Amino acid sequence: MNEAKKRANMRGLILLLGSMTTGGCIGYVFASGAVVVPENFSLNPSIYYEYDIMFGCIALLSLLLAVLTVLGLVQTRRMKDEPKSDGEIHNLKEKALSRVMQFSYYTMIITLLWLVMSFAHALGPGGKESEDAPFMMTNMITALVFMLFSFYLLNRSFTLYNNNYPDRQLDLSLGNSQNAQRELFAKMDEGERWIVYRSSYSSYKATTVCLVMGMLFFALYSLLFGFAPMPIIVLALILLIQQTVYYREVLKYS
């Protein structure tokens, strides 16, 4: 136990010294003026319209995920129920259903990103008077259509889940998601709850790291392209809310 504690302390000390050294080097490089961004440098590569490449990539990704979700729904519906082998948690149909729900969630997230960014681009300052107004309007309407279609795919994947698990169905009615989650968790056995605990904690750790890295990224962005405090503040607030919810739940159940 003492040896493991010493090794952990040594790794923490090395990580701290490495972080301090890296931060000092970055600060020195930017303070010395060694890094200069060219005046004509732009983060908006475009062909015909402003941000058309970015929105085109998001649209292609949304289309790809939607196609994968549709193919997964068709494939899973055609699969027959098979008994589980010894020591096997999921059979082939359950694994296929899990992939369908995963792809449907990805589709909804990407299309939501597309819709929000298209609205911000079209309705922001100067958007209505811009020469790219037809492109903005078309982009916004297309994003809205894809968003509605992604919700439909998510609903179909939930319906397929309910058909596959009649003893633990999800309530698909609007405004009842929290009750549905509680009911689903109450129907799980100890093994399934352990999987949820492990998966949720891994997601919590990954989200924490991503939020901190995002703050560092936008700090570096500010050093290169000008001070941008809002993204850093928003990420810090999300991190505070996440930690507050986590420790509140720990105190409630401990």
Side-chain angles (χ1 to χ4, degrees):
M1 178 66 71
N2 291 332
E3 289 294 329
K5 188 175 181 180
K6 289 180 180 179
R7 287 196 297 269
N9 291 335
M10 182 59 66
R11 286 196 297 267
L13 180 60
I14 293 173
L15 180 61
L16 177 61
L17 292 175
S19 301
M20 293 173 61
T21 303
T22 303
C25 292
I26 294 175
Y28 173 77
V29 169
F30 282 99
S32 63
V35 178
V36 179
V37 179
E39 294 182 358
N40 58 349
F41 180 79
S42 175
L43 290 176
N44 176 22
S46 58
I47 300 177
Y48 299 107
Y49 304 102
E50 189 179 22
Y51 297 107
D52 57 356
I53 294 180
M54 180 188 71
F55 283 113
C57 292
I58 296 176
L60 288 176
L61 182 58
S62 301
L63 179 61
L64 175 61
L65 290 172
V67 170
L68 291 175
T69 305
V70 172
L71 293 177
L73 285 170
V74 174
Q75 179 186 12
T76 307
R77 284 182 178 278
R78 292 178 178 177
M79 296 177 69
K80 297 181 179 180
D81 294 329
E82 298 179 357
K84 298 183 179 68
S85 304
D86 293 337
E88 188 179 30
I89 299 178
H90 300 290
N91 56 29
L92 293 178
K93 185 174 182 179
E94 290 174 341
K95 291 179 181 179
L97 177 59
S98 177
R99 286 195 299 270
V100 169
M101 298 189 69
Q102 186 178 4
F103 282 130
S104 63
Y105 270 117
Y106 289 163
T107 306
M108 185 192 67
I109 293 171
I110 298 300
T111 54
L112 179 61
L113 170 67
W114 183 10
L115 180 63
V116 171
M117 292 183 66
S118 65
F119 266 83
H121 181 46
L123 303 180
K128 297 179 181 179
E129 295 80 13
S130 174
E131 297 178 356
D132 299 343
F135 164 74
M136 294 179 182
M137 183 61 64
T138 303
N139 182 44
M140 190 165 51
I141 294 175
T142 308
L144 179 60
V145 172
F146 263 81
M147 183 76 247
L148 296 176
F149 184 61
S150 69
F151 273 116
Y152 171 76
L153 292 178
L154 186 63
N155 180 271
R156 299 312 303 169
S157 64
F158 277 141
T159 302
L160 187 60
Y161 172 90
N162 288 340
N163 293 335
N164 201 55
Y165 297 100
D167 57 333
R168 53 178 69 183
Q169 293 192 1
L170 294 172
D171 188 354
L172 303 180
S173 58
L174 295 176
N176 198 33
S177 59
Q178 291 185 351
N179 293 333
Q181 291 173 2
R182 294 193 191 98
E183 293 175 1
L184 178 63
F185 193 77
K187 296 175 182 178
M188 294 181 180
D189 56 32
E190 292 184 1
E192 292 171 329
R193 292 183 182 183
W194 183 84
I195 293 174
V196 172
Y197 289 147
R198 295 284 298 187
S199 304
S200 300
Y201 188 65
S202 297
S203 175
Y204 161 79
K205 292 190 295 182
T207 305
T208 302
V209 173
C210 289
L211 289 172
V212 174
M213 295 300 294
M215 293 169 63
L216 296 176
F217 170 80
F218 282 110
L220 183 61
Y221 178 90
S222 297
L223 292 174
L224 289 172
F225 305 104
F227 185 50
M230 187 55 65
I232 302 175
I233 294 173
V234 171
L235 292 179
L237 288 176
I238 295 174
L239 184 59
L240 285 172
I241 294 172
Q242 181 208 41
Q243 297 296 320
T244 301
V245 172
Y246 176 80
Y247 285 106
R248 186 192 65 183
E249 293 298 311
V250 169
L251 290 175
K252 183 166 65 174
Y253 293 108
S254 61

